[in-house]
Amino acid sequence: MSTQVPRLFAGLVDDAAVFPPGSATLPEAVAAHRRHRRAWYAPLVGPLLLPASALPGLPALLDDDERIDVGVIGDVPVPELYPLRERTDPRIRIRQVEMAVAKRGEDPLPGLAALAGLPAHLDHDADVYAEIPLTWGLLGALDKLADERAAGSRIAAKFRTGGLAAELFPTPVELAAVIGACRDRDLPFKLTAGLHHAIRHIDPETGFTHHGFVNILAGTAVACAGAEVAEVAETLAATDPLPLVEAARSRRQEHRPLWIGFGSCSVMEPLIDLVRLGLVNGGLKP
């Protein structure tokens, strides 16, 4: 572990450069990810996230002796993901597969049942994340995931915390309730969308209020310490950076409880915030 990137932030940011709003081309994303993995802040960076449909184009961009960790975003039917391990170039290590199991308002259980068979087709250390809408059927889906994990399956939850419409941003109370529900089930989770910056803020271009990833670090920590939804929501809603930074600093050599991390089309924006807040020591040049 780098002395410049504390344990609390290890693997926090998955590299989602090819996804909106960054929308890098695959060659651009691979070249940038290579630089990230060689940089002083490499411990901060998780795998390169790619759509399953983009995987066939990846081997041609790798050196003969290069190895790369990827997270696969399922943009194909679940059965087409089962042969991933056998069909993937040996230079590519599939660390995780993520897939939405339902649209907003749909029952997530049928999609979750289909996805639950995937871990058995992947390497033993690969994880599967089921993206569950924060709407009807959520708690039943979390119960199903908890049952699968209790049976030994490497499957966990994923939630969306932003997007191109205001309703895709959960309120602090909604997100606090979800974190508490995962805590109660000892269920790890990932987040995606809208988390480029450390502290809760309003985007001046869209007017949307974005969650801060340091808020979520602090909120998850207090939830795991037994806090009720109201206290967790208060932490998620806070905009004063000082208590949030102090809460993160006091835990910087601890592992993150439950929250695996988040995908971001920019690795540098979260890094810059961490450096400016004094939570990571290092220069800002990649």
Side-chain angles (χ1 to χ4, degrees):
M1 177 58 57
S2 167
T3 58
Q4 294 174 285
V5 178
R7 183 175 290 111
L8 182 66
F9 308 116
L12 178 66
V13 185
D14 287 351
D15 185 355
V18 302
F19 293 94
S23 303
T25 66
L26 184 58
E28 291 170 340
V30 171
H33 188 73
R34 191 179 286 126
R35 292 193 297 271
H36 295 321
R37 298 307 307 169
R38 293 172 179 169
W40 62 266
Y41 55 84
L44 175 74
V45 185
L48 178 65
L49 300 184
L50 296 176
S53 58
L55 276 180
L58 181 56
L61 302 174
L62 302 178
D63 297 333
D64 290 343
D65 60 349
E66 187 172 8
R67 299 291 183 271
I68 188 169
D69 287 355
V70 301
V72 176
I73 307 300
D75 62 341
V76 298
V78 173
E80 294 183 27
L81 298 173
Y82 285 179
L84 272 179
R85 179 173 56 186
E86 291 76 20
R87 294 181 181 177
T88 301
D89 188 290
R91 293 171 294 174
I92 301 168
R93 178 191 176 203
I94 297 175
R95 285 264 308 277
Q96 60 205 42
V97 178
E98 307 174 17
M99 189 166 190
V101 297
K103 297 178 182 178
R104 289 174 63 86
E106 293 180 344
D107 182 358
L109 286 177
L112 184 54
L115 192 63
L118 181 59
H121 294 267
L122 303 174
D123 288 336
H124 67 89
D125 59 348
D127 294 297
V128 172
Y129 294 96
E131 182 180 323
I132 304 169
L134 302 185
T135 55
W136 178 81
L138 170 64
L139 295 182
L142 296 185
D143 287 339
K144 173 65 174 175
L145 283 176
D147 290 343
E148 292 290 336
R149 287 186 66 83
S153 180
R154 293 182 66 97
I155 191 167
K158 177 183 173 184
F159 308 110
R160 190 160 292 272
T161 49
L164 300 178
E167 62 267 21
L168 297 178
F169 292 78
T171 67
V173 171
E174 289 171 333
L175 185 54
V178 168
I179 292 172
C182 288
R183 172 204 61 200
D184 294 343
R185 293 162 176 80
D186 196 24
L187 183 62
F189 64 92
K190 285 194 66 182
L191 300 174
T192 189
L195 292 177
H196 292 194
H197 293 291
I199 307 299
R200 185 171 175 82
H201 65 284
I202 297 175
D203 186 307
E205 294 185 4
T206 65
F208 298 155
T209 301
H210 288 241
H211 290 283
F213 63 83
V214 170
N215 293 73
I216 295 172
L217 280 170
T220 304
V222 298
C224 290
E228 298 295 332
V229 168
E231 183 180 350
V232 178
E234 184 178 354
T235 302
L236 297 178
T239 55
D240 181 357
L242 293 180
L244 296 169
V245 168
E246 184 52 39
R249 183 176 287 115
S250 68
R251 298 181 175 92
R252 59 188 172 190
Q253 296 309 328
E254 301 175 7
H255 292 288
R256 290 189 301 281
L258 287 187
W259 185 28
I260 303 300
F262 65 98
S264 173
C265 67
S266 170
V267 168
M268 298 309 297
E269 286 182 351
L271 173 65
I272 288 169
D273 271 16
L274 288 171
V275 171
R276 287 177 174 169
L277 292 171
L279 291 170
V280 167
N281 297 320
L284 296 179
K285 185 177 180 180

